Amino acid sequence: MLKKHFIINILTIPQIFIFLWLGNVVYAQKETDAQRLVELNESLQKYDVAKEPIKVAQTLSKIALIYSKSQSNKAIETYLQAASIYNQEKYYNDVRKIYGNIGLIYTDKEEYEKALTYFEKALKIARLQNNQEYASGCLTDVAYLLTVEKQYNSSIKKLLEALTLAQAANNQKLILKCYAMLMENYNALGQHAKYKEYQDKYNNLTSHADKLAVQQEVNNLKIKNKAEEERSEQERMLHEKDLELAALEKERQNQILKSKDMELQLQNLKQEQLENEKNQVERERKEAEAANKLLESENKRGQERLVYLSGFLILFIILAIIVSRNAIKNKRLNNQLKVQNKKIEEQNIEIASNAEALKVALDEVSAQKKDIQDSITYARRIQFAMMVTPEVVKQHLPNSFIFFRPKDVVSGDFYWFNHVQIEKDGEQIDKIFIAAVDCTGHGVPGAMLSMIGHNSLENIVLNQHIYHPNEILSALHLAVHYALRQDTSESRDGMDMSLCMIDLKNNILEYAGAKNALVYVTPDGNQEKVKADSQCIGGLITSEVPDKVFKNNVFDIVHGTTFYIFSDGFSDQFGHEKNRKYMLGKFRQLLQEVSKNPI
């Protein structure tokens, strides 16, 4: 499996680059979609004949889910068939879910107008059901599309309505989601006061429920891990059942072939016996004729009759013996065939019963998998709303870019950016902060730790007014230590990171690192590496709060100098024909080469 990647490359005046890399995921599926479609279509025909419309609609929804992986148009068409049946049966809650799924498919296809149409249909049903939570969730879906279309004011209007409904339903997750999306839209409009207002609300709500939320997420993760183990066990059992069914089917086919061979052998034996009897009769007839001719020449007519009678009696006895033996043998073979046929019938009944049980188990596993995937997808939206967009970064650092590709749906790595204006000696000084952070773990565990890191960095810079990178790292270490209760728990989680502060007025860059180094290329093409401290953020288990001191490195920014900060993701990537790591040396050589190119 590919290792996660995370790289940020920073170049300051006149060139500043930021990029992140994260790999893709390869998923393995034990049962092919083609086999599943065949089974679902068979069930669909059965339910249609039995006139069970709800089961027909449920089966169509399962077929549409498979189509959504590679044939989006077929998925939409099938979903609409299911929605039509649910409408006729007045199952409006299922209609709402289907409209939401169609909206997601159009969103993935970047057909945002059509996606918006179906999200609004789902919203209309939620309003008719007078369900505040459903309506709030649908409004955030609509608002997300409006944000993608850069209709920020319309998105804000929908989000404010969603926020009111979420507060009425006392749904903390929906409230936090509304705050995060309002921050994103106000930030895009440049309304910093509103951005700050909802940022404070988000932080306040998060700070009150932070410990409880972390514990709840840990519990949820355990439940998900347990569900995944159960799913793996079920898949293993299903695979064993498939092997047993295949063995039984093979045995049944062998029994059928054996029965046919026995019938053919019996027919051949009967034919052979008849031929032998015929030949025997013919031989004895000829012998009798020869004997009769001999007796005619030696005996009288009375003796000839006696000979004929004797020959006939002998022939009759022989035929009776042969027929009796054949009847006994045929009866024994027929009894054996009856026993074999009965065994085959019992095996067929058992195979049919096992196949039905396997179908039910597969349906349950598919439903559980979909619930888990839906939950992680919503978590991804919240995490991406938390991070500043590349467009905002470019407003402050025009010659920069961000390369960010999460390996999983949610990421354990993240980048952090903030712009602060401070007043010193009556002058306004702009300070820009940029960080590349590599959290412990992948997927959901890493994403949980990234939320702690992001919120802690925001609090340290904006509320505690700490501006030097080495002091920020020390404060972040204490925040992670307290958040994960590493004085009493068994948590060794932490993060590696590079952090830069850019003073645009004085043309100065300050850097501090926890295991992640800074690399820069001078205007004459020489590459230099600034080593990071060998200690990480968090990760210690001790009853005392450990103070960590990090070194602060200060540089005068020379025109044409290129600065890079990054994680170990790119250099640890496996690939090429021998499937070896890319390694740090090759990665630094790559940075040397690309630094010559324009942005």
Side-chain angles (χ1 to χ4, degrees):
M1 181 173 287
L2 296 176
K3 188 182 184 296
K4 62 178 174 54
H5 303 288
F6 178 80
I7 304 173
I8 298 183
N9 167 32
I10 305 178
L11 293 92
T12 59
I13 301 175
Q15 293 180 331
I16 301 173
F17 299 91
I18 305 173
F19 69 91
L20 291 87
W21 166 284
L22 287 95
N24 298 319
V25 177
V26 178
Y27 294 98
Q29 184 177 354
K30 293 184 178 180
E31 182 182 28
T32 64
D33 289 338
Q35 292 173 334
R36 184 63 180 142
L37 282 173
V38 170
E39 295 174 356
L40 288 172
N41 281 313
E42 290 176 355
S43 299
L44 185 63
Q45 293 177 0
K46 180 181 70 174
Y47 294 143
D48 190 34
V49 171
K51 298 186 182 301
E52 298 184 66
I54 297 303
K55 289 187 178 180
V56 170
Q58 291 171 347
T59 306
L60 286 170
S61 295
K62 294 175 184 177
I63 293 173
L65 179 62
I66 296 175
Y67 282 148
S68 65
K69 299 176 183 177
S70 58
Q71 303 181 56
S72 56
N73 290 333
K74 277 192 173 182
I76 292 169
E77 179 183 347
T78 309
Y79 268 137
L80 289 174
Q81 292 176 11
S84 176
I85 296 173
Y86 281 134
N87 259 323
Q88 292 175 3
E89 299 298 323
K90 298 182 179 181
Y91 276 60
Y92 299 121
N93 196 46
D94 292 294
V95 176
R96 177 187 57 77
K97 292 178 182 178
I98 287 176
Y99 285 159
N101 289 340
I102 294 175
L104 291 175
I105 292 173
Y106 278 125
T107 301
D108 290 339
K109 294 175 68 177
E110 297 184 359
E111 297 182 21
Y112 299 125
E113 290 185 5
K114 294 181 179 179
L116 184 60
T117 298
Y118 280 96
F119 281 145
E120 287 178 342
K121 286 183 177 182
L123 174 60
K124 183 178 179 181
I125 294 174
R127 292 186 192 278
L128 290 174
Q129 292 178 320
N130 197 25
N131 190 309
Q132 294 174 333
E133 290 190 17
Y134 288 164
S136 179
C138 293
L139 282 166
T140 57
D141 289 335
V142 174
Y144 171 77
L145 289 178
L146 292 173
T147 301
V148 172
E149 292 289 311
K150 297 184 178 180
Q151 299 180 31
Y152 302 118
N153 288 321
S154 298
S155 177
I156 290 170
K157 183 178 178 181
K158 296 293 184 183
L159 287 171
L160 290 174
E161 184 182 353
L163 178 59
T164 301
L165 294 174
Q167 289 172 337
N170 196 25
N171 189 315
Q172 300 297 314
K173 290 185 178 179
L174 282 175
I175 293 171
L176 281 173
K177 182 177 180 181
C178 291
Y179 285 160
M181 295 179 71
L182 284 166
M183 289 164 55
E184 179 182 1
N185 282 277
Y186 281 125
N187 192 38
L189 290 172
Q191 297 183 20
H192 300 296
K194 282 290 186 180
Y195 170 83
K196 184 65 169 60
E197 175 188 342
Y198 283 100
Q199 185 183 49
D200 291 340
K201 290 181 178 181
Y202 181 90
N203 290 336
N204 289 336
L205 183 58
T206 304
S207 63
H208 287 303
D210 201 25
K211 292 184 178 180
L212 181 61
V214 169
Q215 185 61 41
Q216 183 62 36
E217 289 296 334
V218 170
N219 292 337
N220 290 341
L221 178 61
K222 291 180 179 178
I223 293 171
K224 290 177 181 177
N225 288 338
K226 183 177 180 181
E228 183 65 21
E229 292 174 358
E230 292 177 353
R231 183 184 68 79
S232 300
E233 179 63 18
Q234 288 176 350
E235 289 180 347
R236 183 187 68 76
M237 293 175 65
L238 289 175
H239 181 65
E240 292 177 354
K241 288 292 185 181
D242 287 340
L243 294 177
E244 291 176 3
L245 289 174
L248 289 173
E249 178 62 20
K250 184 176 180 181
E251 180 65 21
R252 189 178 70 85
Q253 294 295 334
N254 290 336
Q255 292 295 337
I256 292 173
L257 291 175
K258 288 180 181 179
S259 297
K260 290 182 178 179
D261 289 340
M262 291 178 66
E263 290 179 359
L264 182 60
Q265 291 175 6
L266 182 61
Q267 290 177 355
N268 292 335
L269 180 61
K270 288 181 178 180
Q271 185 66 30
E272 183 179 354
Q273 288 175 349
L274 290 174
E275 290 293 332
N276 290 337
E277 289 173 1
K278 183 177 180 181
N279 292 335
Q280 181 67 23
V281 170
E282 184 66 22
R283 284 196 301 271
E284 290 185 4
R285 185 184 64 79
K286 291 179 179 180
E287 290 175 359
E289 288 178 355
N292 287 335
K293 289 181 180 180
L294 182 61
L295 289 174
E296 284 179 357
S297 62
E298 294 179 354
N299 299 315
K300 295 180 180 180
R301 181 173 293 179
Q303 291 175 339
E304 290 178 356
R305 290 179 179 176
L306 180 61
V307 170
Y308 280 120
L309 181 59
S310 299
F312 180 76
L313 289 174
I314 292 171
L315 180 61
F316 180 80
I317 292 171
I318 292 172
L319 289 174
I321 292 172
I322 292 173
V323 171
S324 175
R325 286 180 178 178
N326 287 338
I328 294 171
K329 188 174 183 179
N330 288 340
K331 184 177 181 180
R332 184 170 62 251
L333 290 174
N334 287 333
N335 290 334
Q336 291 176 354
L337 287 175
K338 287 180 180 179
V339 172
Q340 292 295 332
N341 288 335
K342 185 176 181 180
K343 289 182 178 179
I344 291 171
E345 289 177 358
E346 292 174 351
Q347 291 171 355
N348 288 337
I349 293 172
E350 184 178 357
I351 290 170
S353 176
N354 291 337
E356 185 65 26
L358 287 174
K359 287 182 179 180
V360 173
L362 285 173
D363 289 342
E364 292 176 354
V365 171
S366 297
Q368 292 172 356
K369 181 179 179 182
K370 181 179 182 300
D371 291 340
I372 293 171
Q373 288 176 338
D374 289 345
S375 177
I376 295 176
T377 299
Y378 269 99
R380 178 180 183 273
R381 293 184 182 177
I382 293 173
Q383 187 183 39
F384 272 68
M386 174 188 71
M387 293 187 290
V388 173
T389 63
E391 289 76 14
V392 174
V393 177
K394 276 188 170 290
Q395 290 177 6
H396 300 282
L397 303 174
N399 294 321
S400 64
F401 69 88
I402 294 178
F403 197 74
F404 183 59
R405 293 183 182 175
K407 167 183 162 292
D408 298 308
V409 179
V410 290
S411 173
D413 293 355
F414 69 98
Y415 64 91
W416 175 73
F417 175 88
N418 214 319
H419 170 240
V420 178
Q421 287 186 335
I422 63 174
E423 186 173 347
K424 186 176 182 182
D425 298 330
E427 293 184 345
Q428 290 288 338
I429 299 178
D430 291 321
K431 291 183 180 290
I432 294 176
F433 298 86
I434 186 76
V437 188
D438 182 359
C439 297
T440 303
H442 305 267
V444 174
M448 291 169 59
L449 196 56
S450 74
M451 297 289 287
I452 296 174
H454 179 276
N455 291 338
S456 298
L457 285 169
E458 294 281 319
N459 180 57
I460 291 167
V461 173
L462 299 179
N463 297 332
Q464 300 180 29
H465 306 295
I466 299 175
Y467 301 129
H468 292 294
N470 62 327
E471 296 175 357
I472 293 173
L473 293 187
S474 296
L476 179 60
H477 168 70
L478 294 178
V480 171
H481 181 83
Y482 283 121
L484 298 181
R485 289 195 263 182
Q486 292 182 333
D487 54 341
T488 58
S489 70
E490 296 182 358
S491 171
R492 296 180 180 271
D493 298 312
M495 53 191 76
D496 302 336
M497 64 184 294
S498 300
L499 175 63
C500 291
M501 187 281 291
I502 304 168
D503 187 337
L504 297 177
K505 179 176 178 59
N506 298 312
N507 211 27
I508 290 174
L509 182 143
E510 296 184 15
Y511 157 78
K515 288 193 173 182
N516 284 354
L518 168 70
V519 173
Y520 66 91
V521 180
T522 62
D524 56 2
N526 292 326
Q527 185 183 110
E528 300 293 339
K529 175 183 176 182
V530 182
K531 290 186 177 180
D533 291 287
S534 60
Q535 54 192 351
C536 66
I537 304 299
L540 293 176
I541 299 178
T542 176
S543 59
E544 298 180 359
V545 179
D547 292 330
K548 288 189 178 181
V549 179
F550 295 87
K551 181 180 178 181
N552 202 48
N553 301 273
V554 182
F555 303 89
D556 290 326
I557 301 174
V558 180
H559 181 83
T561 301
T562 306
F563 293 89
Y564 299 88
I565 59 175
F566 48 86
S567 72
D568 60 355
F570 200 105
S571 58
D572 286 350
Q573 168 64 29
F574 284 89
H576 203 255
E577 297 177 353
K578 296 182 179 180
N579 196 31
R580 293 179 177 176
K581 284 186 179 181
Y582 193 75
M583 304 304 291
L584 183 59
K586 289 184 180 180
F587 176 60
R588 289 182 59 181
Q589 183 179 355
L590 174 64
L591 296 180
Q592 182 85 19
E593 294 172 359
V594 300
S595 66
K596 303 173 185 178
N597 300 328
I599 296 177

